[in-house]
Amino acid sequence: MYRLLYWLVLRWLPAEATHRVSFALLRAAVVLPGVARALERLCAPRAPELRVHALGRELPGPLGLAAGFDKDARGVRALLALGFGFVEVGTVTAEPQPGNPRPRMFRLTRDRALINRMGFNNDGAAAAARRLAHRGAGTIGANIGKTRRVPEAEAIADFTDSARRLAPHADYLVVNVSSPNTPGLRDLQAVDKLRPLLTSVRAACDLASPTRRVPLLVKIAPDLADADIDAIADLALELGLDGIIATNTTIARTGLATSDAAVTALGAGGLSGAPLAARSLAVLRRLRARLGGRVTLIAAGGIATADDAWQRIRAGATLVQAYTGFIYGGPGWPRRLHRELAAKVRAAHLASIEQAIGADA
Ligand SMILES: Cc1cc2nc3c(=O)[nH]c(=O)nc-3n(C[C@H](O)[C@H](O)[C@H](O)COP(=O)(O)O)c2cc1C
């Protein structure tokens, strides 16, 4: 039904407006008595084979919603009710900011892809923290980034401000240094800048949450050179980082079915979805080769099917995340993907999906 609605109506509407309206409808629906519970009963992953232990938690399934969909932590309960095993909110910045001028999100339907230059539009860390303070059960990560107007010299203070506010309410924290839409942000992936940043954010988390150690992860770009990926992997070990998310969107525009002219006309931004899959998988494989199972790897980038998720898990990902696959797949997609993934685990004669992690590495 969603596919019909998508082909008849949704694909003709501006991408950001469609997102805003459908997310608002979903949030409104779960406020109605009994709806959230009914959705959970219908959609939540229940197969015992799908249960995963990661980042100090037990998750009902390995598929999570990637950052950017619920930037302000407005609809976590609704998103978990659709069957995601976990939800990552953000990117949240220390100060509220409007993001880039619209339009800033575009569908490349033929490529099952999106281009976005949202630019971290969000209400700021204090507002997100207030909402998360009333969160319910389920695993929720908080993804933090740099406020646009803050110069690089003050980036650490900006990140630690967000960490301090959000760590007490999050099950894990992600330092996002890989969005292409905040000038200079990706430069922070250089290890001589990343080391002091991650060390300070770790300290801020420990100060803000003294009795519960909040796992800390870093999210990296697919456009890094191999040597830089290796350097970040080594840094993760050096600092005792809990995980790496690979990857964010790409600035590349290769291998697209959409015409060059049409793509150029859309302008700058990060490309996500199917065309990103091969590179994200390659980055994941490189991390796994360097790290083995010592650091938790979360795969993101072009995951649209159970085959995609299974391949990432076998390549070394403990968890997987998606954004674009959800946009094209609709509200029934997380449930479908988890169901098909459980069938794969059973077909492989495994008792648990955890036994498949890194099987191909
Ligand atoms: C519209 C849009 C907004 C996004 N915003 C963020 C963000 O704020 N922070 C972040 O870390 N990643 C953001 N992402 C990247 C996704 O979290 C994900 O890493 C990337 O899109 C690759 O996964 P996908 O191919 O499943 O979409 C955004 C992606 C899209 C499409």
Side-chain angles (χ1 to χ4, degrees), residues 198-270:
L198 292 174
T199 305
S200 302
V201 171
R202 175 73 267 163
C205 289
D206 293 342
L207 259 178
S209 177
T211 53
R212 178 182 60 97
R213 185 182 176 282
V214 181
L216 182 63
L217 296 83
V218 67
K219 182 167 178 178
I220 65 173
D223 308 313
L224 289 171
D226 287 349
D228 298 328
I229 298 168
D230 292 347
I232 291 176
D234 294 348
L235 182 68
L237 283 180
E238 177 194 321
L239 299 181
L241 213 62
D242 299 277
I244 302 177
I245 302 184
T247 67
N248 212 313
T249 56
T250 177
I251 56 169
R253 298 288 189 265
T254 41
L256 297 176
T258 309
S259 75
D260 287 351
V263 172
T264 306
L266 297 179

Side-chain angles (χ1 to χ4, degrees), residues 6-289:
Y6 178 82
W7 281 101
L8 291 178
V9 183
L10 297 180
R11 72 189 174 119
W12 305 109
L13 303 174
E16 188 175 348
T18 309
H19 170 254
R20 214 178 29 250
V21 170
S22 34
F23 191 25
L25 284 174
L26 176 67
R27 294 196 314 269
V30 299
V31 175
L32 301 173
V35 171
R37 195 127 335 133
L39 263 183
E40 274 157 21
R41 215 169 298 138
L42 187 71
C43 302
R46 242 177 261 295
E49 301 90 325
L50 290 182
R51 261 184 237 137
V52 191
H53 297 85
L55 307 172
R57 310 218 7 125
E58 186 183 58
L59 283 69
L63 172 68
L65 180 60
F69 190 96
D70 188 3
K71 288 185 186 272
D72 289 310
R74 288 176 186 275
V76 178
R77 167 128 205 237
L79 293 164
L80 288 169
L82 286 185
F84 285 108
F86 64 108
V87 170
E88 188 170 309
V89 303
T91 292
V92 176
T93 56
E95 297 174 21
Q97 56 182 28
N100 288 318
R102 293 188 182 123
R104 53 193 180 178
M105 180 178 174
F106 309 93
R107 289 189 205 94
L108 277 61
T109 306
R110 285 175 64 198
D111 289 293
R112 291 244 154 190
L114 297 170
I115 287 178
N116 91 83
R117 52 170 171 277
M118 305 299 286
F120 293 166
N121 53 304
N122 78 108
D123 293 347
R130 268 196 306 278
R131 292 195 189 103
L132 287 178
H134 303 290
R135 54 165 286 190
T139 297
I140 303 171
N143 175 309
I144 60 173
K146 186 180 79 65
T147 306
R148 187 188 180 100
R149 65 145 207 95
V150 167
E152 190 188 303
E154 293 160 31
I156 290 183
D158 191 67
F159 270 98
T160 53
D161 192 1
S162 296
R164 186 173 52 78
R165 291 177 193 273
L166 292 168
H169 309 295
D171 297 311
Y172 68 88
L173 208 81
V174 182
V175 169
N176 176 12
V177 280
S178 47
S179 166
N181 302 314
T182 295
L185 183 76
R186 288 174 309 151
D187 297 342
L188 299 174
Q189 291 175 115
V191 285
D192 56 334
K193 294 180 179 159
L194 195 53
R195 182 181 288 106
L197 172 61
L198 292 174
T199 305
S200 302
V201 171
R202 175 73 267 163
C205 289
D206 293 342
L207 259 178
S209 177
T211 53
R212 178 182 60 97
R213 185 182 176 282
V214 181
L216 182 63
L217 296 83
V218 67
K219 182 167 178 178
I220 65 173
D223 308 313
L224 289 171
D226 287 349
D228 298 328
I229 298 168
D230 292 347
I232 291 176
D234 294 348
L235 182 68
L237 283 180
E238 177 194 321
L239 299 181
L241 213 62
D242 299 277
I244 302 177
I245 302 184
T247 67
N248 212 313
T249 56
T250 177
I251 56 169
R253 298 288 189 265
T254 41
L256 297 176
T258 309
S259 75
D260 287 351
V263 172
T264 306
L266 297 179
L271 173 72
S272 60
L276 179 57
R279 179 59 191 160
S280 292
L281 175 61
V283 174
L284 174 71
R285 287 199 167 126
R286 193 161 188 99
L287 290 168
R288 174 72 189 200

